[in-house]
Amino acid sequence: MKKDSKKPSLKSDFYKKRKIGLYLGKSYVWLILALLYVPILMIVVYSFSDGAGFANFRFSTANFTELFTSDSDSVQRMKTALLNTVVIGLVSSLFATVLGTLGAVGLNGMSKKPRNVLLNLSNVPIFNADIITALALMFFFLFIKVDRSVFTVLIGHIAMTCPYVMLSVLPRLKQMNMSVYEAALDLGATPFSALIKIIVPEVFPGMVSGFALAFTLSIDDFIITQFNRSSTFETLSTYIYSQAAGKAGLSGALKPLSALIFLTVLAGLVIYNIQKNKKAKAAKR
Amino acid sequence: MKKFKMKRSYLALPYAVWLTIFFFVPMLFILFYAFMTKEAPQEFTFKHITAVFSSTYVQGFLRSIFYGFLVTLICLILGYPVAYVLSQKRFKLGGIVVVLFILPMWINFLIRTLALKSLFYSLGIALGKGTAIAGMVYDFLPFMILPIYTTLLKIDKNLIEASEDLGAPPFTVILKTVLPLSVPGIISGCLMVFMPSMSTYAISDTLSGGNFPLIGTLIRLNYNNNWGLSSAIAIIMLIFIFISMLISYKFNDKEELKGGGLW
């Protein structure tokens, strides 16, 4: 620490104490992090074991073989559920990004009063408990006599996530200079092409983070899917929940699948952060 | 010349319509079923609301509120120091470590819950209240750490230096300068933990062996057969949500509410 040497010795005791504090703090952070990761890492390790429970580890790749080659009913169901989760996640976040971005652009162009009304209304679905949103939507679909299916799940996910996209695009719009957009219109651009060519490039980072947020919320959702799906349509959440009762946690092929999900997320984050650091370094130069 | 002038505000129409049809209109159904009898001549009734005030449901509510507070408090006590250390410039790895705290949020929460269940099982810990609370703390802790962390990062470092220069010992600096300045983060962290821990049933049912009915469980038990009762429970819950929204508005800039700044 450079600071230490510059300070008068009178204060050295203060800095010594601060250093000890930092060490204590760091150890605490690592401890909590370890607690957070123990269950997940156990699953990764024990996906390579065919012994029952954590007490008897017996190395085997049987779980992975089951995951990749078994055509048993439950493994097939699991794979379909995984595919459904990803497809629902991508499609709903795409829709939510389009709706949310349009919403933000429109809201940004409103006068103060309607803008505040729409902004406050957008916060309601965010604050509402998922279980109430899910229940309300279920009543609605039952009332208008629409059979619950993949589409009702999609509709629910879009409604749940589009306010988040709207709120992550809005700050970008506030920073941008709208006279460029007005100028484009004056020069004869149609509103649509002005939107695509002027506004979208400007707010794109907000759209990306909104999309990522919507995708995260969608693949993590359990209750909205559970209340609004048909009995044959499953996502990973509802599949795992149906497998959870009465068992000693994750069983069979779910272990290697969870391990693979963890490693994918980890790899994704590492790559993302390396890219970000590269960009930051390039920007510094 | 054009009859129809396209205004920019019209672009919000699809968004507003979608939210109205698929969120606000459905919410009216909750209101409707909570105050209407199910039988053919549907009439206005308070019987569902009064049913919520029968002992089973009142107990469920009180239990949910109590354990919701408990989970929130544990998360705050465990999470605040983590957020504080992570936000320190002197902790050079802080920026990387915070990503490690976000990572579990990208793994399905039921996978995390069942992983924890496996761990309890192999350690020979019997499922019950304690394990359910531990599970909620485990699942929701990142939601507490992140908002506090972002608020702490934004604190003007000059204020901290000033209180140090004026001779405040480190602990006093934290207590009298850092803590009050981070109240908005604490509030949004607490709301983000309290609301889901009150309304979850997947986590509490899975990790308690089914003996720990919270509000979410009560809604789930009634949503197929007794729409009136589950709607009435939802209405009472909405009152809590409304209060938490007001609290959050008081402490935050309007457009920086939940979500946004997190990812």
Side-chain angles (χ1 to χ4, degrees):
Chain A
M1 260 175 218
K2 274 183 210 161
K3 254 187 174 175
D4 284 10
S5 52
K6 281 182 194 166
K7 297 278 170 183
S9 58
L10 196 86
K11 283 209 163 182
S12 69
D13 185 47
F14 171 80
Y15 282 95
K16 208 185 267 171
K17 268 188 194 163
R18 247 172 69 144
K19 230 176 185 174
I20 296 170
L22 184 65
Y23 280 124
L24 282 177
K26 274 186 193 170
S27 349
Y28 175 73
V29 168
W30 292 116
L31 175 74
I32 295 288
L33 204 59
L35 287 176
L36 215 54
Y37 277 87
V38 163
I40 300 170
L41 292 178
M42 290 288 260
I43 291 297
V44 175
V45 172
Y46 280 84
S47 60
F48 288 101
S49 160
D50 64 355
F54 282 161
N56 31 39
F57 180 90
R58 267 206 321 264
F59 182 81
S60 135
T61 51
N63 289 326
F64 282 91
T65 319
E66 193 191 344
L67 174 65
F68 288 116
T69 60
S70 167
D71 52 4
S72 76
D73 209 34
S74 100
V75 173
Q76 288 309 317
R77 256 178 75 196
M78 192 176 82
K79 283 182 183 167
T80 315
L82 180 66
L83 186 68
N84 287 345
T85 307
V86 175
V87 171
I88 288 271
L90 288 176
V91 175
S92 73
S93 340
L94 202 64
F95 269 91
T97 305
V98 173
L99 278 178
T101 307
L102 285 176
V105 174
L107 188 129
N108 191 251
M110 286 175 182
S111 54
K112 201 174 176 195
K113 219 173 180 186
R115 190 177 63 211
N116 280 343
V117 170
L118 190 58
L119 200 56
N120 286 331
L121 287 180
S122 297
N123 276 318
V124 178
I126 294 180
F127 272 92
N128 198 17
D130 284 355
I131 195 167
I132 300 181
T133 307
L135 189 70
L137 206 58
M138 185 190 82
F139 287 155
F140 174 71
F141 286 131
L142 288 175
F143 183 82
I144 61 169
K145 299 207 164 56
V146 168
D147 285 336
R148 284 172 292 167
S149 64
V150 52
F151 296 107
T152 51
V153 173
L154 259 179
I155 286 172
H157 281 216
I158 296 168
M160 167 183 80
T161 54
C162 66
Y164 287 93
V165 179
M166 199 280 281
L167 287 179
S168 46
V169 173
L170 204 55
R172 290 268 161 187
L173 277 169
K174 285 196 165 162
Q175 289 167 9
M176 96 173 255
N177 184 358
M178 272 300 159
S179 45
V180 183
Y181 172 77
E182 310 288 345
L185 289 184
D186 287 347
L187 293 170
T190 63
F192 180 74
S193 70
L195 174 74
I196 298 293
K197 289 193 176 153
I198 310 284
I199 297 184
V200 167
E202 199 75 20
V203 300
F204 198 68
M207 288 168 69
V208 171
S209 66
F211 180 88
L213 183 52
F215 185 71
T216 318
L217 290 167
S218 169
I219 58 172
D220 213 38
D221 172 72
F222 165 66
I223 294 186
I224 291 177
T225 311
Q226 179 78 346
F227 280 28
N228 291 290
R229 71 195 175 99
S230 64
S231 58
T232 49
F233 179 81
E234 286 179 312
T235 62
L236 204 54
S237 296
T238 63
Y239 171 79
I240 296 172
Y241 184 73
S242 73
Q243 302 290 303
K247 284 192 188 149
L250 297 165
S251 52
L254 262 178
K255 274 191 278 187
L257 181 73
S258 309
L260 287 176
I261 290 175
F262 169 67
L263 294 175
T264 312
V265 171
L266 187 67
L269 275 182
V270 168
I271 292 169
Y272 172 76
N273 277 285
I274 290 174
Q275 293 289 342
K276 208 170 89 178
N277 284 347
K278 262 189 197 163
K279 264 188 197 166
K281 266 184 194 163
K284 261 185 190 174
R285 254 177 236 150
Chain B
M1 284 234 258
K2 268 189 242 162
K3 271 184 210 153
F4 173 78
K5 177 128 171 36
M6 176 71 197
K7 272 204 234 157
R8 194 147 60 86
S9 56
Y10 296 161
L11 289 173
L13 213 63
Y15 169 79
V17 168
W18 191 281
L19 270 193
T20 308
I21 298 181
F22 297 119
F23 180 77
F24 289 104
V25 170
M27 289 300 282
L28 293 179
F29 280 85
I30 296 228
L31 203 65
F32 181 78
Y33 287 121
F35 291 104
M36 286 288 164
T37 53
K38 202 184 177 184
E39 297 75 31
Q42 290 198 312
E43 288 169 335
F44 184 83
T45 174
F46 273 118
K47 76 172 184 189
H48 304 305
I49 300 286
T50 46
V52 178
F53 289 96
S54 74
S55 61
T56 337
Y57 295 104
V58 169
Q59 272 177 21
F61 261 100
L62 293 178
R63 193 185 295 119
S64 298
I65 293 165
F66 176 75
Y67 288 107
F69 270 118
L70 188 67
V71 169
T72 310
L73 190 69
I74 297 173
C75 282
L76 181 62
I77 292 170
L78 289 178
Y80 195 94
V82 172
Y84 179 76
V85 175
L86 288 177
S87 72
Q88 296 295 298
K89 271 234 174 72
R90 296 173 297 147
F91 187 12
K92 298 213 175 58
L93 287 174
I96 298 168
V97 177
V98 78
V99 176
L100 291 177
F101 276 97
I102 302 174
L103 190 150
M105 289 161 133
W106 276 318
I107 302 170
N108 190 296
F109 78 101
L110 281 161
I111 289 182
R112 278 181 285 143
T113 307
L114 288 195
L116 195 63
K117 190 178 178 184
S118 308
L119 189 65
F120 287 144
Y121 179 79
S122 57
L123 291 174
I125 299 171
L127 296 183
K129 254 182 222 169
T131 49
I133 293 165
M136 288 193 260
V137 171
Y138 176 70
D139 276 343
F140 300 139
L141 188 61
F143 292 113
M144 181 65 86
I145 293 175
L146 282 169
I148 298 179
Y149 170 76
T150 28
T151 319
L152 285 173
L153 277 187
K154 280 189 219 150
I155 289 180
D156 185 354
K157 296 289 174 293
N158 292 328
L159 294 172
I160 294 166
E161 267 178 31
S163 56
E164 277 169 358
D165 287 349
L166 292 169
F171 190 68
T172 316
V173 174
I174 294 177
L175 205 64
K176 296 252 166 105
T177 310
V178 180
L179 201 60
L181 286 172
S182 59
V183 166
I186 294 175
I187 298 283
S188 65
C190 285
L191 289 177
M192 286 182 80
V193 174
F194 182 71
M195 290 316 300
S197 59
M198 223 175 89
S199 65
T200 178
Y201 69 82
I203 301 171
S204 54
D205 285 3
T206 309
L207 284 175
S208 70
N211 268 324
F212 192 53
L214 301 179
I215 300 180
T217 319
L218 299 177
I219 293 183
R220 174 180 68 88
L221 291 175
N222 288 299
Y223 85 86
N224 266 332
N225 306 315
N226 199 338
W227 292 8
L229 190 59
S230 54
S231 302
I233 300 172
I235 291 280
I236 310 276
M237 228 174 129
L238 277 171
I239 298 172
F240 285 98
I241 293 166
F242 184 68
I243 295 171
S244 68
M245 233 175 128
L246 289 184
I247 295 173
S248 174
Y249 269 52
K250 225 176 134 70
F251 284 96
N252 283 300
D253 309 333
K254 271 194 180 156
E255 277 159 31
E256 266 192 307
L257 298 173
K258 278 172 135 185
L262 255 181
W263 272 270

